[in-house]
Amino acid sequence: MLQQIIDRRLSGKNKSIGNRERFLRRHKDQIREAVRRAVDGRGIRDMERGEEVHIPKKDLSEPVFGHGEGGTREVVRPGNRDHVKGDRVPKPQGGQGQGQGSQASDSGEGEDDFVFHLSKEEFMQVFFDDLALPNMARTTLAETPEWKSHRAGFTSDGTPTNLHVVRSMRGALGRRIALGMGKRRELHELEERLALLLRELPEHPENKPLIEDTEARIAHLKGRIEAIPFLDPIDLRFRSRVKVPVPTTRAVMFCLMDVSGSMDEARKDLAKRFFILLYLFLTRHYEKIEVVFIRHHTQAQEVDEQNFFHATETGGTVVSSALVLMEQIIRERYSPSEWNIYGAQASDGDNWHHDSGRCRELLTDKILPLCRYFAYVQVAEAEQNLWEEYAKLADEVPQFAMRKAVEVNQIYPVFRDLFKKEGASA
């Protein structure tokens, strides 16, 4: 009897997916640390890819079988030519080339004992498995209708390229059957009548005029049946396509950073890490993401990513110039009815004293009504005048949040605190 086995497991051909998931759970800490290290040296748009994870052999523990120590053994294996009964065989000594560890290198490079590739989805899941957008951003996502073409049956008008031959011929056949059905039935009856008259003609010669009349009617009906056109314009059917609105979500992320003399490279690095996390997080919720970089000291300027993070500036700080430029760009390029707008601002809190109040007014009146969410991260411990002004908004506006991060290891906890799910611990 022939048997056939069908594999209906969800893993499909990738039968090791269960083992891989168990491995990821077992070494979660090492994987999470490797993902965090991947933030260094990458651009914001370059972060959305996988990562090579290196795990030292000392962190890998697998069950093995081993012989128990002790006991007396007096066994001589067949084929032995070097030892006889009673010889003591010393244990093998470890040395060069006999161990199982990694080899030393004279080029300054080495290789870990175990390396595997973390896919894009696994990379993103390590960061964002328990994070979510705030309530206001989740429940009021703007949807921009985009038109997409869909099939919508058939129509009697259209271009020759859209002609559906089978459907047209089916209609023509149905029309010919419908128009000729009565005539064919009458024709069939006349032909039977004519055959009967012809058989009775020798006995009834007076039926000859009736036969001629019947033949004339048969000829007339055949002519009418043949006159039915094989294909009529009303038979043509064309493929119809209509455009329907397809809701799509897209977002723009504004990165605002202070690049004045008080912002050194260490503080810029803290800001970069926060911006990277925010960008990666938004890519999991929107199909299209655009990033706008605005750097400022006493004046604000829109720049590319390279200049945003690495260009050096000196001088004072006027934070309001960046907020004014952000509001101007939104009005010109990103309509709030079509875009989900997010803002992220990083600064050490040092600002011209008379400008901090204006920053709060700009946020309240101009920026926050247009934004889904605005996060301010201060990369310095001291609470200066900008922090004090922003603190007045934190309790009043639900889509505004502010935190401090003065060390590298504080960036990720601060980010998780800003976007944690309801009821989840940061």
Side-chain angles (χ1 to χ4, degrees):
M1 180 178 180
L2 182 62
Q3 293 183 351
Q4 184 179 8
I5 299 176
I6 301 176
D7 188 354
R8 299 187 184 277
R9 289 178 293 182
L10 297 178
S11 57
K13 296 182 179 179
N14 188 10
K15 303 300 187 298
S16 63
I17 186 172
N19 295 331
R20 182 176 181 87
E21 291 177 352
R22 285 191 294 271
F23 178 82
L24 295 178
R25 289 194 300 267
R26 183 183 303 172
H27 301 283
K28 184 187 301 183
D29 295 337
Q30 293 94 329
I31 294 172
R32 184 172 298 171
E33 183 63 27
V35 172
R36 291 180 182 178
R37 289 197 304 265
V39 174
D40 300 328
R42 290 190 187 182
I44 285 182
R45 297 182 179 89
D46 193 37
M47 286 300 298
E48 195 178 1
R49 57 182 174 87
E51 176 65 18
E52 295 289 341
V53 178
H54 301 255
I55 299 181
K57 185 177 180 181
K58 64 183 179 63
D59 293 335
L60 298 175
S61 60
E62 297 291 341
V64 295
F65 290 99
H67 297 288
E69 299 181 358
T72 302
R73 294 189 177 186
E74 296 182 356
V75 180
V76 179
R77 301 296 180 185
N80 170 52
R81 297 181 180 181
D82 299 327
H83 303 284
V84 296
K85 186 177 181 179
D87 288 348
R88 293 181 178 274
V89 181
K91 293 182 178 180
Q93 301 296 322
Q96 182 178 2
Q98 299 185 18
Q100 298 297 324
S102 58
Q103 299 292 327
S105 172
D106 59 355
S107 60
E109 297 180 357
E111 186 177 34
D112 290 335
D113 293 283
F114 184 77
V115 182
F116 72 100
H117 181 75
L118 202 64
S119 67
K120 169 187 170 182
E121 289 300 324
E122 293 168 343
F123 180 89
M124 303 287 280
Q125 187 67 24
V126 172
F127 272 119
F128 308 122
D129 56 349
D130 55 350
L131 302 180
L133 288 173
N135 272 343
M136 177 163 291
R138 282 205 310 268
T139 56
T140 58
L141 291 181
E143 295 185 351
T144 303
E146 293 186 0
W147 299 98
K148 190 173 183 180
S149 179
H150 285 274
R151 292 183 179 179
F154 301 93
T155 180
S156 57
D157 297 324
T159 60
T161 55
N162 291 331
L163 178 65
H164 196 282
V165 177
V166 175
R167 195 61 179 259
S168 300
M169 295 304 298
R170 185 188 304 173
L173 179 61
R175 176 185 53 80
R176 292 198 305 272
I177 293 175
L179 293 178
M181 182 178 297
K183 299 179 179 64
R184 288 188 178 89
R185 185 184 300 113
E186 184 180 357
L187 177 63
H188 181 69
E189 294 175 354
L190 289 176
E191 288 178 345
E192 291 181 350
R193 182 180 178 184
L194 177 62
L196 179 61
L197 291 174
L198 291 175
R199 287 196 301 268
E200 297 176 351
L201 181 61
E203 300 177 359
H204 303 280
E206 66 277 7
N207 291 339
K208 190 173 182 180
L210 184 58
I211 292 175
E212 294 177 353
D213 180 65
T214 303
E215 290 177 346
R217 292 178 60 185
I218 290 175
H220 177 71
L221 283 175
K222 287 183 177 180
R224 294 188 60 184
I225 292 174
E226 292 177 357
I228 298 176
F230 180 80
L231 187 66
D232 194 89
I234 63 174
D235 302 328
L236 301 181
R237 292 296 180 267
F238 301 86
R239 299 181 184 89
S240 177
R241 304 186 69 89
V242 296
K243 291 184 177 181
V244 296
V246 179
T248 58
T249 55
R250 53 184 179 177
V252 57
M253 169 182 159
F254 284 85
C255 299
L256 286 69
M257 185 172 66
D258 180 8
V259 293
S260 60
S262 58
M263 287 285 291
D264 54 17
E265 290 300 323
R267 291 177 175 177
K268 289 181 181 179
D269 182 67
L270 293 177
K272 177 182 178 180
R273 292 170 184 265
F274 178 77
F275 293 142
I276 287 176
L277 291 179
L278 180 58
Y279 174 77
L280 290 176
F281 183 53
L282 292 178
T283 57
R284 295 179 65 86
H285 294 80
Y286 295 96
E287 299 176 0
K288 181 179 180 180
I289 295 288
E290 291 194 9
V291 185
V292 178
F293 298 100
I294 299 178
R295 57 199 298 268
H296 71 89
H297 40 90
T298 55
Q299 296 180 351
Q301 183 182 9
E302 181 181 0
V303 295
D304 57 15
E305 181 179 347
Q306 180 67 22
N307 291 326
F308 182 77
F309 288 112
H310 302 291
T312 58
E313 295 287 346
T314 58
T317 306
V318 180
V319 179
S320 63
S321 60
L323 299 177
V324 171
L325 180 58
M326 175 181 175
E327 194 266 342
Q328 179 182 349
I329 294 176
I330 291 175
R331 300 293 185 187
E332 293 177 355
R333 289 150 47 185
Y334 302 102
S335 172
S337 61
E338 300 177 358
W339 291 82
N340 296 277
I341 302 172
Y342 290 85
Q345 182 181 4
S347 173
D348 59 354
D350 185 18
N351 189 27
W352 183 43
H353 181 73
H354 298 287
D355 185 63
S356 297
R358 184 165 185 256
C359 292
R360 178 173 57 84
E361 294 177 357
L362 285 172
L363 281 176
T364 305
D365 301 333
K366 302 290 186 180
I367 303 298
L368 293 180
L370 305 178
C371 291
R372 301 297 178 190
Y373 199 70
F374 192 98
Y376 171 69
V377 176
Q378 182 169 299
V379 292
E381 183 64 33
E383 296 183 0
Q384 303 193 50
N385 50 10
L386 185 61
W387 177 273
E388 295 174 354
E389 291 291 338
Y390 279 3
K392 300 177 183 179
L393 295 175
D395 298 332
E396 299 176 358
V397 184
Q399 69 266 35
F400 177 79
M402 53 189 299
R403 297 291 188 275
K404 287 183 180 180
V406 296
E407 299 291 341
V408 173
N409 57 4
Q410 295 178 350
I411 290 295
Y412 188 52
V414 165
F415 180 82
R416 294 175 62 88
D417 187 31
L418 290 174
F419 295 97
K420 65 181 179 181
K421 288 183 179 179
E422 298 175 7
S425 56

